[in-house]
Amino acid sequence: MSRKLNFNAGPGALPDEVLQQAANAVIDYNNSGLSILEISHRGNAFAAIIEESKQLVRELCELGDDYEVLWLHGGGRLQFCMVPMNFLGDDDIAGYIDTDHWSHAAIEYAQYYGNVQVLASSKENNYNRLPLWPEKIAVDLSYVHFTSNNTIYGTQWHSVPECNVPLVADMSSDIFCSRRDYKHCDMFYAAAQKNAGAAGVTLVVIRKDMLERGRRKLPSMLDYKAQAKENSVLNTSPVFAIYTSLLMLRWTKNRGIDAIEKENKLKADLLYKEVERNSLFNLYVEKKEDRSLMNVCFTAIDPGTEKSFLKFCDDRNITGVKGHRSIGGFRVSLYNAVTVRATKALAEAMKEFEQSKDN
Ligand code: PMP
């Protein structure tokens, strides 16, 4: 089968070997005579999957046993709800950093449960840069929430700041992309479908002492403490999605975070340079230090060429470069599984497209 060069924003590209291993497990999981789709979420085989995945997450994020690792349903968006449900009482205030469509959605959800103070925002600039991180954060805030990588607009906080109140990060689109101080976060989460597996499960990593900070009585499915107590098998877990995440975690460990970071920088550099050089395109994010390693966003100087560039890509087996409907243009996602070879092929296609317009 010929595989496309996949630059989709999420679900994103997965490594060939992970797909092959997942496919094998669908037919027969570890010579058990059962498909991974058929095993019980309460059996020993799945308990081993959960245990190994927890260890690998801690190892890759350089965290100790003081962090709990959970696999939950409901995608990134359910975390936009669960964070305030658990940690924001009716009269409490949480600080949010507003850098994109997703952080904005997180703010809207939080307002159902308590008060939100927007500590910094780049909304006025159409999110084409990062705001300054707030210098002073009031100690009575319940927590501060930020989005480490802004998938739609292509900005990224490259390091995790220290914070004097509990820090919660949405790392859905850049987890495991580089070495960073995960321990500066009291909680972080990532919908799996970019660097951590397939859609259908969300990785939540939370300091154990946060589990005692619940602000209201909640049904157990929505309560981090109850989920932790049941080791992510409170109800029927998405076994296959969690197994796919385990395969991604093993792949990530085998390659090593440093090697992944190096390659991500190479891919991003290659593409940003091409967009800057190419006379047909404009980068969306001007400030170099704000640019995401994961999502490279740009527009066509002549909007009339947009469609023909997409067709040009399609003819070359390149897919997933159309921008999000809210800003248009192009977005190329360079998640961990995207190869340097694929990135070079795209940069080459951009050059050829430019030449085709010259003639
Ligand atoms: N946060 C970020 C940073 C995202 O990129 C996305 C989706 N692309 C979400 C949250 C929402 O995730 P989900 O669709 O799994 O709810």
mmCIF file of all heavy atoms in Angstrom, residues 55-80:
data_model
loop_
_atom_site.group_PDB
_atom_site.id
_atom_site.type_symbol
_atom_site.label_atom_id
_atom_site.label_comp_id
_atom_site.label_asym_id
_atom_site.label_seq_id
_atom_site.Cartn_x
_atom_site.Cartn_y
_atom_site.Cartn_z
ATOM 1 N N GLN A 55 4.302 3.884 33.557
ATOM 2 C CA GLN A 55 5.760 3.981 33.793
ATOM 3 C C GLN A 55 6.426 4.773 32.675
ATOM 4 O O GLN A 55 7.295 5.611 32.928
ATOM 5 C CB GLN A 55 6.391 2.575 33.872
ATOM 6 C CG GLN A 55 6.082 1.810 35.141
ATOM 7 C CD GLN A 55 6.298 2.658 36.404
ATOM 8 O OE1 GLN A 55 7.119 3.561 36.448
ATOM 9 N NE2 GLN A 55 5.507 2.372 37.443
ATOM 10 N N LEU A 56 6.013 4.482 31.429
ATOM 11 C CA LEU A 56 6.652 5.161 30.295
ATOM 12 C C LEU A 56 6.357 6.657 30.292
ATOM 13 O O LEU A 56 7.231 7.470 29.991
ATOM 14 C CB LEU A 56 6.192 4.528 28.973
ATOM 15 C CG LEU A 56 6.902 3.225 28.606
ATOM 16 C CD1 LEU A 56 6.277 2.604 27.360
ATOM 17 C CD2 LEU A 56 8.392 3.475 28.356
ATOM 18 N N VAL A 57 5.125 7.025 30.640
ATOM 19 C CA VAL A 57 4.788 8.457 30.695
ATOM 20 C C VAL A 57 5.670 9.133 31.738
ATOM 21 O O VAL A 57 6.288 10.179 31.479
ATOM 22 C CB VAL A 57 3.286 8.675 31.010
ATOM 23 C CG1 VAL A 57 3.010 10.137 31.327
ATOM 24 C CG2 VAL A 57 2.415 8.208 29.856
ATOM 25 N N ARG A 58 5.792 8.512 32.908
ATOM 26 C CA ARG A 58 6.629 9.119 33.968
ATOM 27 C C ARG A 58 8.076 9.241 33.499
ATOM 28 O O ARG A 58 8.731 10.255 33.716
ATOM 29 C CB ARG A 58 6.557 8.289 35.244
ATOM 30 C CG ARG A 58 5.221 8.414 35.963
ATOM 31 C CD ARG A 58 5.343 7.929 37.410
ATOM 32 N NE ARG A 58 4.033 7.890 38.026
ATOM 33 C CZ ARG A 58 3.328 6.773 38.236
ATOM 34 N NH1 ARG A 58 3.801 5.597 37.895
ATOM 35 N NH2 ARG A 58 2.142 6.835 38.805
ATOM 36 N N GLU A 59 8.548 8.178 32.851
ATOM 37 C CA GLU A 59 9.940 8.188 32.398
ATOM 38 C C GLU A 59 10.172 9.283 31.340
ATOM 39 O O GLU A 59 11.123 10.060 31.434
ATOM 40 C CB GLU A 59 10.245 6.801 31.813
ATOM 41 C CG GLU A 59 11.702 6.517 31.665
ATOM 42 C CD GLU A 59 11.912 5.105 31.095
ATOM 43 O OE1 GLU A 59 11.143 4.172 31.429
ATOM 44 O OE2 GLU A 59 12.834 4.972 30.275
ATOM 45 N N LEU A 60 9.284 9.345 30.364
ATOM 46 C CA LEU A 60 9.466 10.318 29.274
ATOM 47 C C LEU A 60 9.331 11.758 29.768
ATOM 48 O O LEU A 60 9.925 12.665 29.198
ATOM 49 C CB LEU A 60 8.463 10.054 28.144
ATOM 50 C CG LEU A 60 8.681 8.755 27.361
ATOM 51 C CD1 LEU A 60 7.497 8.458 26.445
ATOM 52 C CD2 LEU A 60 9.969 8.849 26.534
ATOM 53 N N CYS A 61 8.525 11.938 30.812
ATOM 54 C CA CYS A 61 8.322 13.300 31.343
ATOM 55 C C CYS A 61 9.213 13.564 32.555
ATOM 56 O O CYS A 61 9.110 14.627 33.171
ATOM 57 C CB CYS A 61 6.855 13.517 31.723
ATOM 58 S SG CYS A 61 5.725 13.327 30.344
ATOM 59 N N GLU A 62 10.077 12.619 32.878
ATOM 60 C CA GLU A 62 11.002 12.741 34.015
ATOM 61 C C GLU A 62 10.259 13.095 35.311
ATOM 62 O O GLU A 62 10.572 14.061 35.983
ATOM 63 C CB GLU A 62 12.079 13.775 33.704
ATOM 64 C CG GLU A 62 12.914 13.368 32.494
ATOM 65 C CD GLU A 62 13.879 14.453 32.058
ATOM 66 O OE1 GLU A 62 13.428 15.425 31.450
ATOM 67 O OE2 GLU A 62 15.070 14.308 32.359
ATOM 68 N N LEU A 63 9.242 12.299 35.599
ATOM 69 C CA LEU A 63 8.437 12.518 36.799
ATOM 70 C C LEU A 63 8.512 11.303 37.708
ATOM 71 O O LEU A 63 8.781 10.184 37.243
ATOM 72 C CB LEU A 63 6.966 12.745 36.408
ATOM 73 C CG LEU A 63 6.686 13.957 35.533
ATOM 74 C CD1 LEU A 63 5.233 13.962 35.071
ATOM 75 C CD2 LEU A 63 7.008 15.256 36.275
ATOM 76 N N GLY A 64 8.247 11.526 38.980
ATOM 77 C CA GLY A 64 8.273 10.429 39.945
ATOM 78 C C GLY A 64 6.875 9.926 40.270
ATOM 79 O O GLY A 64 5.881 10.312 39.625
ATOM 80 N N ASP A 65 6.815 9.098 41.297
ATOM 81 C CA ASP A 65 5.543 8.497 41.707
ATOM 82 C C ASP A 65 4.581 9.504 42.333
ATOM 83 O O ASP A 65 3.450 9.149 42.678
ATOM 84 C CB ASP A 65 5.806 7.400 42.749
ATOM 85 C CG ASP A 65 6.238 6.127 42.051
ATOM 86 O OD1 ASP A 65 6.116 6.078 40.817
ATOM 87 O OD2 ASP A 65 6.708 5.206 42.760
ATOM 88 N N ASP A 66 5.050 10.730 42.531
ATOM 89 C CA ASP A 66 4.133 11.733 43.094
ATOM 90 C C ASP A 66 3.156 12.254 42.025
ATOM 91 O O ASP A 66 2.296 13.079 42.321
ATOM 92 C CB ASP A 66 4.906 12.901 43.750
ATOM 93 C CG ASP A 66 5.990 13.469 42.844
ATOM 94 O OD1 ASP A 66 6.464 12.746 41.936
ATOM 95 O OD2 ASP A 66 6.348 14.643 43.033
ATOM 96 N N TYR A 67 3.292 11.762 40.805
ATOM 97 C CA TYR A 67 2.316 12.103 39.753
ATOM 98 C C TYR A 67 1.490 10.872 39.402
ATOM 99 O O TYR A 67 2.038 9.776 39.239
ATOM 100 C CB TYR A 67 3.016 12.601 38.485
ATOM 101 C CG TYR A 67 3.457 14.049 38.565
ATOM 102 C CD1 TYR A 67 4.634 14.393 39.210
ATOM 103 C CD2 TYR A 67 2.688 15.062 38.009
ATOM 104 C CE1 TYR A 67 5.041 15.718 39.298
ATOM 105 C CE2 TYR A 67 3.083 16.392 38.082
ATOM 106 C CZ TYR A 67 4.254 16.707 38.725
ATOM 107 O OH TYR A 67 4.650 18.024 38.807
ATOM 108 N N GLU A 68 0.188 11.058 39.268
ATOM 109 C CA GLU A 68 -0.711 9.991 38.823
ATOM 110 C C GLU A 68 -0.912 10.120 37.314
ATOM 111 O O GLU A 68 -0.947 11.233 36.784
ATOM 112 C CB GLU A 68 -2.064 10.144 39.561
ATOM 113 C CG GLU A 68 -3.033 9.015 39.363
ATOM 114 C CD GLU A 68 -2.460 7.645 39.731
ATOM 115 O OE1 GLU A 68 -2.386 7.317 40.935
ATOM 116 O OE2 GLU A 68 -2.087 6.919 38.790
ATOM 117 N N VAL A 69 -0.985 8.985 36.648
ATOM 118 C CA VAL A 69 -1.211 8.990 35.199
ATOM 119 C C VAL A 69 -2.575 8.355 34.929
ATOM 120 O O VAL A 69 -2.831 7.228 35.364
ATOM 121 C CB VAL A 69 -0.102 8.185 34.476
ATOM 122 C CG1 VAL A 69 -0.371 8.131 32.961
ATOM 123 C CG2 VAL A 69 1.269 8.779 34.765
ATOM 124 N N LEU A 70 -3.422 9.089 34.239
ATOM 125 C CA LEU A 70 -4.774 8.590 33.958
ATOM 126 C C LEU A 70 -5.042 8.569 32.459
ATOM 127 O O LEU A 70 -4.504 9.395 31.709
ATOM 128 C CB LEU A 70 -5.832 9.520 34.590
ATOM 129 C CG LEU A 70 -5.719 9.800 36.086
ATOM 130 C CD1 LEU A 70 -6.723 10.888 36.486
ATOM 131 C CD2 LEU A 70 -6.014 8.520 36.860
ATOM 132 N N TRP A 71 -5.866 7.640 32.047
ATOM 133 C CA TRP A 71 -6.331 7.586 30.648
ATOM 134 C C TRP A 71 -7.839 7.776 30.676
ATOM 135 O O TRP A 71 -8.562 6.904 31.165
ATOM 136 C CB TRP A 71 -5.969 6.242 30.013
ATOM 137 C CG TRP A 71 -4.491 6.012 29.909
ATOM 138 C CD1 TRP A 71 -3.721 5.252 30.726
ATOM 139 C CD2 TRP A 71 -3.603 6.563 28.920
ATOM 140 N NE1 TRP A 71 -2.396 5.285 30.318
ATOM 141 C CE2 TRP A 71 -2.301 6.079 29.201
ATOM 142 C CE3 TRP A 71 -3.767 7.412 27.818
ATOM 143 C CZ2 TRP A 71 -1.187 6.422 28.432
ATOM 144 C CZ3 TRP A 71 -2.664 7.744 27.056
ATOM 145 C CH2 TRP A 71 -1.385 7.244 27.367
ATOM 146 N N LEU A 72 -8.302 8.914 30.157
ATOM 147 C CA LEU A 72 -9.729 9.232 30.296
ATOM 148 C C LEU A 72 -10.413 9.392 28.931
ATOM 149 O O LEU A 72 -9.762 9.584 27.916
ATOM 150 C CB LEU A 72 -9.891 10.524 31.104
ATOM 151 C CG LEU A 72 -9.258 10.513 32.511
ATOM 152 C CD1 LEU A 72 -9.531 11.840 33.225
ATOM 153 C CD2 LEU A 72 -9.773 9.358 33.363
ATOM 154 N N HIS A 73 -11.725 9.315 28.984
ATOM 155 C CA HIS A 73 -12.532 9.499 27.767
ATOM 156 C C HIS A 73 -12.764 10.995 27.510
ATOM 157 O O HIS A 73 -12.466 11.827 28.343
ATOM 158 C CB HIS A 73 -13.923 8.873 27.964
ATOM 159 C CG HIS A 73 -13.934 7.420 28.287
ATOM 160 N ND1 HIS A 73 -14.107 6.444 27.347
ATOM 161 C CD2 HIS A 73 -13.817 6.770 29.462
ATOM 162 C CE1 HIS A 73 -14.105 5.254 27.927
ATOM 163 N NE2 HIS A 73 -13.918 5.429 29.210
ATOM 164 N N GLY A 74 -13.358 11.293 26.361
ATOM 165 C CA GLY A 74 -13.936 12.636 26.160
ATOM 166 C C GLY A 74 -13.038 13.666 25.504
ATOM 167 O O GLY A 74 -13.438 14.817 25.374
ATOM 168 N N GLY A 75 -11.826 13.269 25.114
ATOM 169 C CA GLY A 75 -10.959 14.187 24.369
ATOM 170 C C GLY A 75 -10.464 15.358 25.199
ATOM 171 O O GLY A 75 -10.706 15.455 26.402
ATOM 172 N N GLY A 76 -9.771 16.264 24.508
ATOM 173 C CA GLY A 76 -9.253 17.461 25.171
ATOM 174 C C GLY A 76 -10.389 18.283 25.755
ATOM 175 O O GLY A 76 -10.299 18.822 26.861
ATOM 176 N N ARG A 77 -11.477 18.334 25.013
ATOM 177 C CA ARG A 77 -12.582 19.192 25.453
ATOM 178 C C ARG A 77 -13.174 18.778 26.795
ATOM 179 O O ARG A 77 -13.623 19.625 27.558
ATOM 180 C CB ARG A 77 -13.692 19.207 24.402
ATOM 181 C CG ARG A 77 -13.499 20.292 23.375
ATOM 182 C CD ARG A 77 -14.713 20.340 22.481
ATOM 183 N NE ARG A 77 -14.507 21.265 21.380
ATOM 184 C CZ ARG A 77 -14.915 22.535 21.388
ATOM 185 N NH1 ARG A 77 -15.539 23.022 22.439
ATOM 186 N NH2 ARG A 77 -14.706 23.301 20.337
ATOM 187 N N LEU A 78 -13.206 17.486 27.076
ATOM 188 C CA LEU A 78 -13.762 17.113 28.381
ATOM 189 C C LEU A 78 -12.836 17.619 29.499
ATOM 190 O O LEU A 78 -13.306 17.964 30.585
ATOM 191 C CB LEU A 78 -14.008 15.605 28.509
ATOM 192 C CG LEU A 78 -14.814 15.272 29.772
ATOM 193 C CD1 LEU A 78 -16.231 15.848 29.709
ATOM 194 C CD2 LEU A 78 -14.895 13.781 30.030
ATOM 195 N N GLN A 79 -11.541 17.711 29.202
ATOM 196 C CA GLN A 79 -10.633 18.269 30.209
ATOM 197 C C GLN A 79 -10.905 19.761 30.429
ATOM 198 O O GLN A 79 -10.710 20.267 31.534
ATOM 199 C CB GLN A 79 -9.166 18.025 29.825
ATOM 200 C CG GLN A 79 -8.787 16.557 29.853
ATOM 201 C CD GLN A 79 -9.272 15.854 31.107
ATOM 202 O OE1 GLN A 79 -8.952 16.280 32.219
ATOM 203 N NE2 GLN A 79 -10.056 14.808 30.954
ATOM 204 N N PHE A 80 -11.367 20.446 29.370
ATOM 205 C CA PHE A 80 -11.740 21.860 29.571
ATOM 206 C C PHE A 80 -12.831 21.957 30.649
ATOM 207 O O PHE A 80 -12.926 22.956 31.352
ATOM 208 C CB PHE A 80 -12.299 22.494 28.283
ATOM 209 C CG PHE A 80 -11.356 22.542 27.103
ATOM 210 C CD1 PHE A 80 -11.837 22.875 25.839
ATOM 211 C CD2 PHE A 80 -10.004 22.284 27.244
ATOM 212 C CE1 PHE A 80 -10.984 22.938 24.744
ATOM 213 C CE2 PHE A 80 -9.142 22.343 26.144
ATOM 214 C CZ PHE A 80 -9.644 22.665 24.898
#
